[in-house]
């Protein structure tokens, strides 16, 4: 199959990002400006998984719709990368080839990033450049934990497939150097976390550098998805279970 002209590749990348995390990055910048206009970030709170409706089943419906529609750009990327001699999943490394090694890499990356995230958050709060984060504010229903797990997996799949795998493939086609791709991927990752404050931006840029470098060495997105999902599941579910018991988010 002949290669795509560079102008079409550029247009495709801009459209994919405009429908997904690039759009989130723009909104995140605006939300940060809004928060700064209201006063110091240290006195503000950001809720990551809020209640969407007072009715339990309408809330569940909205939660599931949000998760499902958020993954549509991933389906688009898989479609755009298909049609080659190798499937889109294999091109991205979104497979469980060598499952023990794949899971091991994921757990290891999660441990490194998890410890680093706590440090960056604590430092950001101490410096007043990070809002207080409430990872989960859903009411206590039978579906709360499953929805939080699905939300974590949604973030992991969406971000790692698009910001790492897809972006590396397409920017490489445009002739970008590896360091420039790593930088772009990492800054993009940080940008859509800016609504949480400057600290999370820095932390996610550093996470992006590690994840992007790992991808350059392995061409495997699945370990990144596993690591990201484990980090978010720990944060979301852990907070939902422990937060109310210690008087946080109750």
């Amino acid at each position: 199959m002949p290669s795509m002209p560079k102008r079409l590749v550029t247009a495709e990348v801009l459209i994919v990002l405009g429908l997904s995390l690039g759009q989130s990055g723009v909104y995140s910048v605006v939300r940060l400006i809004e928060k700064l206009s209201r006063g110091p970030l240290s006195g503000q709170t950001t809720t990551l998984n809020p209640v969407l409706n007072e009715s339990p089943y309408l809330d569940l419906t909205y939660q599931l719709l949000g998760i499902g529609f958020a993954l549509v750009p991933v389906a688009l990327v898989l479609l755009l990368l298909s049609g080659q001699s190798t499937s889109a999943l294999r091109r991205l490394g979104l497979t469980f080839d060598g499952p023990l090694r794949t899971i091991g890499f994921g757990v290891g990356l999660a441990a490194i990033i998890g410890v680093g995230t706590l440090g960056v958050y604590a430092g950001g709060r101490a410096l007043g450049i990070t809002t207080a984060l409430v990872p989960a504010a859903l009411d206590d229903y039978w579906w709360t934990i499953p929805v939080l797990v699905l939300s974590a997996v949604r973030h992991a799949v969406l971000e790692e497939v698009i910001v790492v795998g897809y972006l590396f493939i397409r920017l490489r086609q445009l002739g970008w150097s590896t360091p420039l791709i790593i930088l772009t991927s990492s800054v993009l990752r940080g940008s859509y976390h800016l609504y949480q404050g400057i600290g999370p931006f820095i932390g996610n840029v550093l996470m992006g550098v590690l994840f992007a470098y790992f991808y350059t060495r392995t061409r495997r997105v699945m370990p990144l998805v596993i690591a990201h999902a484990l980090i978010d599941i720990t944060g979301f579910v852990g907070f939902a279970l422990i937060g109310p018991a210690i008087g946080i988010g109750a």
Side-chain angles (χ1 to χ4, degrees):
M1 178 179 290
S3 60
M4 292 172 57
K6 288 188 176 181
R7 61 181 179 81
L8 291 183
V9 175
T10 301
E12 180 193 289
V13 169
L14 292 176
I15 291 171
V16 168
L17 293 181
L19 291 172
S20 58
L21 296 166
Q23 178 188 136
S24 298
V26 173
Y27 275 110
S28 191
V29 171
V30 176
R31 290 173 66 186
L32 176 63
I33 293 171
E34 177 194 356
K35 288 182 176 181
L36 289 171
S37 71
R38 295 203 302 260
L41 293 175
S42 59
Q44 301 184 50
T45 300
T46 300
T47 302
L48 304 186
N49 289 283
V51 172
L52 300 179
N53 193 276
E54 293 181 359
S55 166
Y57 290 100
L58 283 176
D59 192 11
L60 173 60
T61 300
Y62 280 121
Q63 299 289 345
L64 294 178
L65 286 174
I67 292 169
F69 281 117
L71 291 174
V72 171
V74 175
L76 174 61
V77 162
L78 294 178
L79 177 64
L80 292 170
L81 294 179
S82 65
Q84 304 288 331
S85 57
T86 304
S87 71
L89 295 178
R90 291 202 171 277
R91 291 186 72 188
L92 291 164
L94 193 62
T95 62
F96 268 106
D97 296 341
L100 292 180
R101 188 179 184 190
T102 298
I103 294 172
F105 276 135
V107 172
L109 288 169
I112 295 171
I113 295 299
V115 172
T117 296
L118 292 175
V120 171
Y121 178 71
R125 291 294 291 161
L127 294 172
I129 60 174
T130 299
T131 63
L133 296 183
V134 177
L138 299 180
D139 292 328
D140 187 14
Y141 300 121
W142 63 266
W143 50 261
T144 299
I145 300 304
V147 162
L148 289 175
V149 171
L150 287 175
S151 179
V153 173
R154 174 263 309 269
H155 287 299
V157 172
L158 176 65
E159 295 183 35
E160 305 315 326
V161 167
I162 292 180
V163 176
V164 180
Y166 169 77
L167 212 55
F168 262 84
I169 290 172
R170 288 311 195 215
L171 295 184
R172 179 67 74 193
Q173 288 180 259
L174 292 175
W176 289 32
S177 67
T178 297
L180 183 56
I181 297 174
I182 291 176
L183 176 64
T184 302
S185 172
S186 303
V187 172
L188 174 59
R189 185 188 295 271
S191 72
Y192 53 78
H193 289 91
L194 270 169
Y195 70 98
Q196 301 172 14
I198 307 301
F201 168 79
I202 295 172
N204 277 279
V205 168
L206 295 176
M207 172 180 172
V209 170
L210 176 60
F211 275 24
Y213 178 75
F214 177 88
Y215 184 78
T216 65
R217 306 296 296 179
T218 65
R219 290 296 189 270
R220 302 273 292 140
V221 162
M222 185 59 82
L224 305 182
V225 171
I226 293 172
H228 195 147
L230 288 174
I231 294 167
D232 283 1
I233 289 171
T234 301
F236 297 168
V237 176
F239 189 89
L241 294 175
I242 299 174
I246 59 177
I248 302 176

